Amino acid sequence: MKCNRLVDVGRRQFLRGGVLGAAGAAAATVLPAGQAQAQTAKAMLDYPSSKLANISDLKVNEPMDIGYPDADSPGILLKLGTPVEGGVGPDGDIVAYSVLCPHKGYIMSYAASDKTLNCPGHFSRFDCEKGGQQIWGHATQNLPQFTLRVDDKGDIYAEGADELIYGRLSNVLA
């Protein structure tokens, strides 16, 4: 009998804690009138600026292999054909990503049909039109997207990444 009461008290405490936790989370998302909700800031990793290509070298939906921030770090440069967040160039459609899966470092391939990068190891998939957002699989973070800049001659430069590249414990080059 005594044991059953302790179980009931444990359940009540659990439920009370769950209700209070949910109420606290809901209250934290409510903002005063007229105040905009803050967007999640990405951590920018500073790598040296590096010329990748010229706009004239790119064809819509055909990836160009790159190495950034160095030759030991494979990536792709893409002209997607429609403007995207983080895209550069006159059409706002040029992006670049690491092709090392953030889960286990497998080299991913680009699928032009749905503009995703796909991992052959554990089948994680990443949307190139949505900043490298993970859409399926075992990975626990989005793809590192490289920050790009285009100069007045159409040369495209990479100047950093918004996530750690697989296998690098920091943003420092060895």
Side-chain angles (χ1 to χ4, degrees):
M1 180 79 167
K2 186 176 179 182
C3 184
N4 286 337
R5 283 189 207 152
L6 286 177
V7 169
D8 289 340
V9 170
R11 288 181 189 146
R12 282 192 296 267
Q13 284 297 104
F14 174 77
L15 291 173
R16 185 180 305 130
V19 169
L20 291 175
T29 60
V30 175
L31 297 172
Q35 207 175 24
Q37 197 169 19
Q39 293 207 1
T40 304
K42 292 185 176 184
M44 177 51 77
L45 303 177
D46 292 322
Y47 290 117
S49 181
S50 178
K51 180 180 173 184
L52 302 177
N54 188 281
I55 290 175
S56 64
D57 300 329
L58 300 176
K59 294 180 181 159
V60 174
N61 214 21
E62 291 185 21
M64 174 183 281
D65 292 333
I66 60 170
Y68 184 76
D70 54 40
D72 294 329
S73 184
I76 60 167
L77 183 64
L78 288 165
K79 180 171 179 57
L80 294 169
T82 57
V84 293
E85 185 176 338
V88 299
D91 301 325
D93 65 343
I94 299 171
V95 293
Y97 296 99
S98 171
V99 293
L100 295 174
C101 181
H103 177 235
K104 293 285 184 181
Y106 288 94
I107 294 181
M108 297 184 292
S109 59
Y110 181 69
S113 59
D114 62 359
K115 299 180 182 177
T116 59
L117 281 164
N118 301 290
C119 178
H122 299 103
F123 310 111
S124 289
R125 301 180 71 223
F126 302 89
D127 191 334
C128 293
E129 293 181 301
K130 299 224 178 349
Q133 180 179 2
Q134 179 186 352
I135 54 177
W136 183 259
H138 288 76
T140 58
Q141 72 180 53
N142 295 329
L143 268 185
Q145 182 174 5
F146 302 138
T147 302
L148 302 178
R149 171 180 61 87
V150 178
D151 70 11
D152 56 355
K153 296 180 279 188
D155 290 332
I156 305 165
Y157 293 86
E159 300 190 324
D162 67 1
E163 299 275 354
L164 285 175
I165 296 168
Y166 181 83
R168 295 175 188 244
L169 301 178
S170 73
N171 61 339
V172 178
L173 292 176

